[in-house]
Amino acid sequence: MSSIERIADIFADAQDTSINHKSLTKRLRKIEAKNENNRSSFEEQVKKCAIRCLEVAKSEKAGQNIVRFICTYCAATQNEEQENEEQEEDGTNITNQIMIVLLPYMSAKDKVVRYRATQIVSQLMGIVQEIEDELYQAIRHELGKRVRDKVPAIRLEAVCALGRLLENEMDEEAQAADQERDEDEEMLDEDDERESTGLLDKLLDVLQNDTNAEVRKALLLNLPIEPKTLPYLLERARDKDAGVRVKLYSKLMPNLGDFRHLSLSMREKLLRWGLRDRDERVRKSAAKMFSTMWIEQIAKTLQQTDADVEEGQPKKKKQVGYYEPDVAALVELLERIDILNAGQDDGVGPEAMREFWSLRPDYFDTVTFDDTFWTDLSAESAFMARSFYDHCSQNEAAQSKAEEDQKFPEVTRFGFHLQRELNRVLELRGTTSEEPDEETLAEQEFIAEQLLHIAHTLDYTDEIGRRKMFSLLRQMLSMSDLPEEITKLTIETLRLTCTSDLAGEKEFIAIVQEAIAEVHDTLNDDNQDEETDDNDNGTNRATTPTDSDSFVSAHSELSVQTDRTARQGPSAQDKRLAKMTPEEQEQYHLRTLLIQLKCLHIAHTMLQNITSDFSSNVSLETMLNTLIIPAIQSREAPLRERAIECLGLACLLSPSLARDNKEMFVYCMRKGHEELRMQCLKILCDCAVTHHSRDKDGDGDGDQGLDLAPFVEAFGYSPEVQLCATTCIAKLMMCGFYKPGAKSVDVDGQEQEEEGDEAVEIFENAIEEAAQSGTKGHELLAKVKAALVADERGRGVIEEGRRQS
């Protein structure tokens, strides 16, 4: 048997296993060397063997082994030629010859042949060192057509090859551009630039729109990371396939290099998309990216800088793969994700730090909170402390360890730190000749908010510390210049300092109402100051505030004149307003409106933190009649809307109040703007859900029937209002108002009406009307109904639409 004939035996042995490919490659290379004078016959035999494997299906292991052997042999040939510097010209080397003969098969009718030909060419393109321009363009053209092939496996091989080609082309163009820029000549040939851009656009289009997840994943990992491609690559964090999203966080991000090269918005998006992903693997990958890769990149930079400064100092032992825990690196990491915005309740900061403390116990052990830390707070360090204590409050083991290491602050001392930061906020917001720096004010407010969040986690069994916090919060709550978010957190913390029983709640209500009165009294104080100024200018008699200067009368000054005011004639306020210039009057009205809004905000937050019924607390009734109801009657839209929110919370605490004000909410839903309509629908829904059990048991004084008319009427408004209405109806259905199959069968087999049959008919009509009118969200109602029917049938309550007796 001649050496040429033994080539087929070598390929036959190669298809069995890939273990002996190196030895078979050496044998084939020896045959090639022996037939140097008969090279054409040798190449023909090799090409025939390569063509024979094109009909082998993808699932066959033998076909994959042959492809690997061809690539191993061609790689060995390329390496030897490179070492001997004997590059063959005119494309006569064996690698080019195999690609030339396989090129027509890439367009074959048989999908198996197309796949194998594309696979071999694709893998050989990653091996070849040099290739003729003509052959290169032909292969590139065929691969471009295979990108649109109907077989996903073929598209996968094509995009892998084109990704490598694109990277080489972009590198060559960059080098040519730099060279021509230095020579002050034109940048690139227009045709070459247009051709490369067309290939990139085609691959980016495939990355966005290909239906196969493996194709998108291959492009994600093979496309070059360039300024133009980076947004498209990072966009795959929202890919519909979880595997692609995992690859982005676990593979692409490490290859990306230093995350600080990304824009601030992109960092925030990557964290938010990853940590809030529905797939657990993606969430873990995103958490690992934040807790290990990003923090280590910063720690590496900081410790390299320290090494330059402390050269010659002995190095500390560190965990393999990690740098020494550095609190400065953690602070910088929080700064890099703009924690001032990401640290809000709806931001991604709390979620990211919760994962960080779980994955990095070394940092948990390293951080310390001494007096120096609390004195020199920044936005980042304050948020770090807040996230640390939040983690401890949610993890008993972490809390025990923190208490053992004495990392929880003493309540009394913490109260002084909180008082200092709150005073700074009031100083910055105080009336000064110069406007305060917005960035400084925002940062200081953020620090105060974080300390109030920390106050939620403290132990108030220490009576001295509790009294300190109690007096501080009570004092700060009466400050009219305190921002709304800080006011909200202050009220929530104040509720924690009071006991959890009924007596503690009454004390809490009384304190908050005192604060509301003090905040409103700032209006009278301003008026009194103005009168004092008038007296200094020649007035002989000092004017004192009268009963008409109460909250109701001050509000009436902005809305409607009461009968009492008409009988008494012009009030002191009217006289003062008459003496003011138009600009002063406008400023006075604005100040009054802001004070009233602040009072309503305090009342709104208080109602969110109590459970007392209005009928059992006279002070709540007084607040309703003197603060909330007059504000609802106001002409000022912001005042009315906030007052309606407060009334809605009050209705949740009182069934009779909910019943009496139902028509008012319906009227506001009909006459109000879009936001007010949605707000009223939510109030009606919440009131029905809250008081449903009382009404059903007959223990309450609420409505005995459910009225869906306002929700159905909302189907005729804007799409957002429609969606809100359908969501409310779905919520009512899932809360027990809708009983599917509400027919019962008596012992004689006759159907009889059940008590809930009327409610079922109401819901059925609402669902049907929503579907017929094409209401936004009507599919949700059908899905909820189907789920309830399936649940009832699964529990054996109904069968074929009938309720079992």
Side-chain angles (χ1 to χ4, degrees), residues 55-73:
E55 297 180 351
V56 182
K58 178 185 176 183
S59 58
E60 292 291 337
K61 190 176 181 180
Q64 187 65 30
N65 288 336
I66 291 295
V67 173
R68 289 178 182 173
F69 175 69
I70 293 175
C71 295
T72 302
Y73 167 69

Side-chain angles (χ1 to χ4, degrees), residues 289-326:
M289 175 193 71
F290 178 80
S291 305
T292 58
M293 188 178 72
W294 285 9
I295 186 68
E296 292 304 316
Q297 289 173 356
I298 297 177
K300 177 182 178 180
T301 303
L302 294 179
Q303 295 194 18
Q304 285 178 347
T305 304
D306 295 340
D308 296 338
V309 176
E310 303 176 0
E311 189 174 357
Q313 296 291 332
K315 296 183 178 180
K316 299 179 180 179
K317 293 182 180 180
K318 64 176 184 294
Q319 184 180 354
V320 177
Y322 293 93
Y323 290 89
E324 285 292 332
D326 191 348

Side-chain angles (χ1 to χ4, degrees), residues 410-447:
E410 183 184 352
V411 179
T412 304
R413 188 177 297 273
F414 180 81
F416 286 105
H417 295 310
L418 176 60
Q419 184 176 12
R420 182 186 65 250
E421 301 301 332
L422 290 174
N423 287 336
R424 289 178 180 175
V425 173
L426 294 175
E427 289 174 5
L428 290 173
R429 291 179 64 89
T431 55
T432 57
S433 57
E434 298 181 359
E435 289 294 331
D437 183 14
E438 293 184 0
E439 293 184 2
T440 304
L441 178 58
E443 182 176 0
Q444 187 59 47
E445 290 179 359
F446 183 80
I447 293 173

Side-chain angles (χ1 to χ4, degrees), residues 93-364:
N93 62 69
I94 188 63
T95 305
N96 290 353
Q97 291 297 316
I98 293 176
M99 289 192 291
I100 290 173
V101 76
L102 293 179
L103 198 59
Y105 294 99
M106 293 176 65
S107 301
K109 187 176 181 180
D110 190 345
K111 63 181 181 180
V112 176
V113 176
R114 289 202 314 276
Y115 168 73
R116 286 298 180 191
T118 306
Q119 182 188 27
I120 297 174
V121 172
S122 173
Q123 296 192 20
L124 290 179
M125 287 297 292
I127 297 172
V128 68
Q129 300 293 335
E130 289 187 3
I131 188 173
E132 278 188 347
D133 289 341
E134 220 175 289
L135 176 59
Y136 177 84
Q137 294 298 333
I139 294 175
R140 188 175 181 276
H141 176 70
E142 287 297 329
L143 289 173
K145 292 195 298 183
R146 292 309 102 214
V147 168
R148 303 298 183 186
D149 200 283
K150 62 181 180 180
V151 180
I154 300 176
R155 301 201 301 271
L156 176 62
E157 296 295 338
V159 297
C160 289
L162 288 176
R164 291 190 289 267
L165 297 183
L166 179 63
E167 186 174 3
N168 295 332
E169 290 182 4
M170 295 180 72
D171 290 341
E172 293 175 1
E173 289 180 2
Q175 294 176 2
D178 293 339
Q179 182 179 359
E180 293 181 358
R181 190 183 299 112
D182 296 338
E183 297 174 357
D184 293 330
E185 297 178 357
E186 58 182 31
M187 298 281 293
L188 284 172
D189 184 77
E190 294 182 0
D191 295 335
D192 294 339
E193 186 176 0
R194 191 182 305 115
E195 187 176 8
S196 175
T197 304
L199 177 59
L200 177 59
D201 292 340
K202 180 183 293 186
L203 292 179
L204 292 177
D205 180 68
V206 173
L207 176 65
Q208 288 183 304
N209 302 310
D210 197 283
T211 58
N212 186 265
E214 293 299 323
V215 175
R216 300 195 302 273
K217 189 186 302 182
L219 272 178
L220 179 70
L221 300 178
N222 283 280
L223 279 178
I225 301 176
E226 300 288 340
K228 183 175 181 179
T229 61
L230 187 58
Y232 295 92
L233 295 174
L234 298 181
E235 187 185 45
R236 291 302 94 200
R238 303 297 287 169
D239 196 279
K240 63 181 181 181
D241 183 76
V244 178
R245 303 196 298 272
V246 170
K247 287 296 182 182
L248 182 135
Y249 287 101
S250 61
K251 298 295 183 182
L252 178 67
M253 293 306 299
N255 296 335
L256 190 61
D258 198 324
F259 80 100
R260 287 171 285 190
H261 296 154
L262 296 175
S263 65
L264 180 61
S265 62
M266 186 51 68
R267 296 175 213 156
E268 191 271 337
K269 286 180 181 178
L270 284 173
L271 275 182
R272 174 160 45 86
W273 291 342
L275 295 176
R276 297 179 180 177
D277 197 276
R278 60 182 177 271
D279 191 277
E280 184 179 1
R281 296 174 299 161
V282 181
R283 295 196 299 270
K284 288 183 177 179
S285 299
K288 186 177 180 181
M289 175 193 71
F290 178 80
S291 305
T292 58
M293 188 178 72
W294 285 9
I295 186 68
E296 292 304 316
Q297 289 173 356
I298 297 177
K300 177 182 178 180
T301 303
L302 294 179
Q303 295 194 18
Q304 285 178 347
T305 304
D306 295 340
D308 296 338
V309 176
E310 303 176 0
E311 189 174 357
Q313 296 291 332
K315 296 183 178 180
K316 299 179 180 179
K317 293 182 180 180
K318 64 176 184 294
Q319 184 180 354
V320 177
Y322 293 93
Y323 290 89
E324 285 292 332
D326 191 348
V327 177
L330 180 55
V331 171
E332 183 179 343
L333 175 61
L334 294 175
E335 182 182 357
R336 294 290 183 178
I337 63 174
D338 189 18
I339 203 61
L340 202 62
N341 294 314
Q344 303 299 334
D345 290 341
D346 57 345
V348 74
E351 301 170 44
M353 289 305 297
R354 182 168 58 249
E355 299 292 342
F356 180 88
W357 294 120
S358 299
L359 295 175
R360 297 304 299 267
D362 51 342
Y363 273 86
F364 185 91

Side-chain angles (χ1 to χ4, degrees), residues 46-55 101-102 105:
V46 171
K47 288 188 285 186
K48 286 181 181 179
C49 293
I51 292 173
R52 289 291 300 272
C53 76
L54 295 181
E55 297 180 351
V101 76
L102 293 179
Y105 294 99

